[in-house]
């Protein structure tokens, strides 16, 4: 039997990491161009990290909610 917790952690890291990369290198440049916002790459990374941390917290809270009420 595979280590379920280890695989879940790897899946979560891949999900968050890919979201961070997509945000910094694809989504933000397109959105900022559309709205004529000019920021450096370091600022883009900081913004993406803030939203990534918020996303991790949101996912954690939802997971706790569902495990408490439905499992």
């Amino acid at each position: 039997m595979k280590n379920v917790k280890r695989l879940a952690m790897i899946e979560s890291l891949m999900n968050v990491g890919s979201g961070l990369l997509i945000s910094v290198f694809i989504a933000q440049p397109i959105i900022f161009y559309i709205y004529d916002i000019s920021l450096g790459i370091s600022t883009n990374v900081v913004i993406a990290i803030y939203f990534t941390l918020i996303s991790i917290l949101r996912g954690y809270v939802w997971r706790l909610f569902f495990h408490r009420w439905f499992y």
Side-chain angles (χ1 to χ4, degrees), residues 16-17 19-21 23 45 47-57:
V16 170
L20 180 63
L21 292 174
S23 176
V45 171
I47 291 169
I49 288 172
Y50 283 136
F51 281 110
T52 300
L53 293 174
I54 292 167
S55 178
I56 291 169
L57 179 62

